[in-house]
């Protein structure tokens, strides 16, 4: 085979297309310490990122579940993390571990495993039901109270489910 500029460009384009077609989870694999922390922790600390990449002053420790490498949570529709996604500010920084309320943690959570993720709203009731079932298993002791609150809030629009996919 004669190797020409045209054949080089064609093979490069084919290789690039194959890499881009990899599943998102393969490109955004989480570090082993982060995966372990996600298994062990009941909360993540989350802050939306501004367009400049700077952290928002709003942070929160929040219940979550991990499913296929993505982080899911249910939050008030008026919470800054939900409003940020609505404004197109989809990037967030997430720390994994237990440090108490973020205001009392005095930045201790910053030493925890961390990653950036792209956030989106989970709108289908099928996907929401799947995630709520996983949450019910994880937070079994509190789910009799919080399960109905999450379900009812998702149904009436006072709560939203967010998915954060590592980047």
């Amino acid at each position: 085979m004669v190797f020409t500029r045209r054949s080089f460009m064609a093979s490069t384009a084919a290789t690039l297309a194959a890499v881009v077609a990899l599943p998102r989870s393969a490109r955004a694999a989480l570090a082993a310490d982060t995966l372990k922390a996600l298994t062990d922790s009941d909360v993540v600390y989350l802050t939306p990122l501004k367009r400049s990449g700077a952290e928002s002053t709003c942070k929160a420790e929040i219940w979550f579940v991990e499913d296929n490498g993505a982080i899911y949570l249910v939050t008030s529709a008026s919470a800054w993390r939900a409003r940020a996604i609505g404004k197109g500010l989809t990037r967030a920084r997430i720390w994994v571990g237990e440090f108490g309320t973020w205001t009392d943690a005095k930045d201790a959570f910053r030493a925890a495993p961390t990653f950036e993720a792209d956030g989106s709203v989970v709108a289908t009731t099928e996907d929401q039901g799947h995630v709520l079932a996983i949450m019910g298993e994880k937070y079994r002791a509190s789910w009799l109270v919080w399960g109905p609150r999450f379900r009812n809030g998702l149904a009436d629009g006072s709560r939203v489910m967010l998915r954060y996919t590592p980047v």
Side-chain angles (χ1 to χ4, degrees):
M1 172 180 164
V2 176
F3 199 72
T4 66
R5 186 177 58 169
R6 184 178 304 263
S7 63
F8 173 77
M9 294 302 285
S11 77
T12 302
T15 301
L16 183 58
V19 169
V20 171
L22 286 174
R24 183 169 183 80
S25 61
R27 292 192 319 251
L30 294 168
D33 65 332
T34 304
L35 286 171
K36 179 170 179 0
L38 287 169
T39 301
D40 296 343
S41 183
D42 283 338
V43 297
V44 292
Y45 293 74
L46 184 143
T47 187
L49 298 179
K50 299 176 183 178
R51 292 193 201 292
S52 67
E55 293 176 6
S56 166
T57 56
C58 300
K59 296 175 181 63
E61 72 285 347
I62 190 163
W63 282 3
F64 76 98
V65 293
E66 181 271 330
D67 188 40
N68 292 322
I71 303 302
Y72 294 85
L73 56 94
V74 177
T75 190
S76 168
S78 64
W80 172 234
R81 59 195 151 271
R83 292 191 343 257
I85 289 174
K87 293 179 178 187
L89 301 172
T90 60
R91 188 62 61 96
R93 182 163 294 123
I94 299 172
W95 297 268
V96 188
E98 297 279 347
F99 301 95
T101 58
W102 77 271
T103 51
D104 295 334
K106 303 203 185 311
D107 284 345
F109 60 89
R110 291 187 182 281
T114 187
F115 59 96
E116 286 189 18
D118 277 332
S120 60
V121 175
V122 178
T124 68
T125 55
E126 181 179 341
D127 289 341
Q128 290 173 351
H130 171 74
V131 171
L132 289 176
I134 298 170
M135 282 186 158
E137 288 296 314
K138 182 173 184 175
Y139 300 105
R140 196 172 294 169
S142 303
W143 203 243
L144 286 176
V145 172
W146 286 98
R149 289 181 187 180
F150 283 7
R151 274 188 193 77
N152 294 340
L154 289 168
D156 69 19
S158 63
R159 293 185 185 270
V160 294
M161 182 176 287
L162 303 178
R163 172 183 28 247
Y164 288 93
T165 305
V167 293

